[in-house]
Amino acid sequence: VLDNIARNVNHVSGLDVEFIKGDIRDKPTVIEAMRGCEVVFNEAAICMNRCKAHPQEAIDVNIQGSYNVFGAAIRHGARVIHASSASVYGEPDYIPMDEAHPANTIEPYGTSKLAADRLLGFLSAKHGLEAVMLRYFNVYGTYQSTDAYYTSVINVFIKNILHGKPPVINGDGSQSMDFTHVSDVVEANIAAMTSGTGIYNVGYGKQWTLKDLAYLILKEMGSPLEPIFVPRQVVVSRRQCDNTRLREIGVIPATDIQEGIRELINHVKINPEVY
């Protein structure tokens, strides 16, 4: 594992994992870290909120940093599994959204992810680089940071309710997302090591509005609180994954949101310092 922070690495310390503190913006470090690797999982990125606040960092990390990873993979002959995002699709023209959906993104995070995808496609064709792009739909689960956008909203809702505070929703809560459990994302990454190349959507395949999500969490936590709605423009109004192509390589997302929410609530209660 190459990362510029040690957060969330300690819980896998019992496994045979080597942790290298470094940054994908540092090209020599990336090249050295990947020496001898057959497959590289490029999960490094900065989140939507930080990209909006610091567009230059979006370029430096999500584009230039990813380019360094791709270049090192070419040098070492490694297969690349690249974490892309459904954010490249922006506001949907249709749902469910398949891999052929137009790239409508207008904000820095989705734009930087799209640029990295296009770079990887170019390098793959030019150098014969084996590459898979996994477009994640609103991933959630244990150990997740709370500084993302529509994904970490689940963790933030849970933390608020635990402290007796109501969940706060930007807009009227009608915006819908396809919340996908991290275990299904892991399964997709493992399958991508040996199955196919190109672009695969990774999502559960169902929409949940933020309003319904808030009430689900309140119910699961036995809370009488009511959500608070704050007038604010939203990034996208709806999102739902067409995961047909993913299923063709044997990955069938299996963790529905009720099950995932219960697991996460219990984990936050037991490990509040993590979130």
Side-chain angles (χ1 to χ4, degrees):
V1 177
L2 170 67
D3 202 346
N4 61 354
I5 53 175
R7 185 182 187 276
N8 295 347
V9 174
N10 293 334
H11 67 280
V12 296
S13 60
L15 303 178
D16 185 17
V17 176
E18 177 187 1
F19 175 71
I20 302 170
K21 188 171 184 179
D23 195 303
I24 61 169
R25 289 172 287 189
D26 182 0
K27 187 175 181 179
T29 296
V30 175
I31 292 172
E32 182 58 31
M34 285 175 56
R35 191 178 302 279
C37 293
E38 297 177 359
V39 181
V40 57
F41 298 90
N42 182 35
E43 308 289 337
I46 56 172
C47 70
M48 182 179 288
N49 283 345
R50 187 160 184 84
C51 287
K52 289 171 69 177
H54 305 280
Q56 182 63 54
E57 195 170 352
I59 296 168
D60 294 343
V61 177
N62 295 357
I63 301 177
Q64 180 61 57
S66 292
Y67 182 73
N68 291 342
V69 174
F70 305 155
I74 293 169
R75 177 186 291 243
H76 294 303
R79 179 181 176 90
V80 173
I81 315 301
H82 173 62
S84 182
S85 171
S87 291
V88 305
Y89 299 130
E91 183 67 18
D93 292 344
Y94 56 85
I95 55 171
M97 305 155 80
D98 57 19
E99 290 83 355
H101 189 284
N104 295 330
T105 180
I106 58 173
E107 43 75 29
Y109 175 76
T111 301
S112 62
K113 280 294 191 179
L114 179 61
D117 285 1
R118 298 278 168 84
L119 275 172
L120 183 54
F122 167 75
L123 295 172
S124 179
K126 182 177 180 180
H127 297 281
L129 174 65
E130 287 191 15
V132 178
M133 287 164 265
L134 300 178
R135 287 183 173 163
Y136 301 162
F137 279 69
N138 302 98
V139 184
Y140 74 99
T142 56
Y143 293 102
Q144 184 177 33
S145 169
T146 56
D147 61 356
Y149 197 69
Y150 281 128
T151 49
S152 63
V153 67
I154 295 177
N155 303 45
V156 173
F157 282 179
I158 293 171
K159 286 178 64 178
N160 278 1
I161 296 166
L162 282 174
H163 290 91
K165 301 176 182 178
V168 179
I169 299 174
N170 292 326
D172 62 6
S174 64
Q175 61 268 41
S176 63
M177 297 294 123
D178 191 335
F179 292 99
T180 304
H181 194 265
V182 65
S183 62
D184 293 320
V185 175
V186 170
E187 184 180 354
N189 274 271
I190 292 171
M193 292 175 66
T194 55
S195 301
T197 56
I199 302 170
Y200 294 85
N201 284 342
V202 180
Y204 187 75
K206 182 178 178 180
Q207 297 180 72
W208 274 79
T209 68
L210 294 190
K211 182 178 180 179
D212 288 343
L213 175 69
Y215 278 111
L216 171 64
I217 296 172
L218 287 164
K219 179 181 178 181
E220 290 293 335
M221 297 182 71
S223 172
L225 294 168
E226 289 287 324
I228 293 176
F229 299 92
V230 179
R232 183 176 171 183
Q233 185 178 8
V234 299
V235 176
V236 293
S237 64
R238 56 187 181 147
R239 188 173 285 164
Q240 182 180 350
C241 175
D242 182 334
N243 57 25
T244 302
R245 193 154 191 261
L246 185 68
R247 289 170 177 263
E248 290 172 355
I249 61 172
V251 180
I252 302 175
T255 304
D256 67 29
I257 197 161
Q258 290 97 330
E259 178 185 352
I261 288 294
R262 291 189 192 110
E263 175 197 60
L264 185 53
I265 290 170
N266 290 333
H267 197 267
V268 174
K269 287 180 178 179
I270 297 170
N271 305 279
E273 74 284 353
V274 173
Y275 298 91

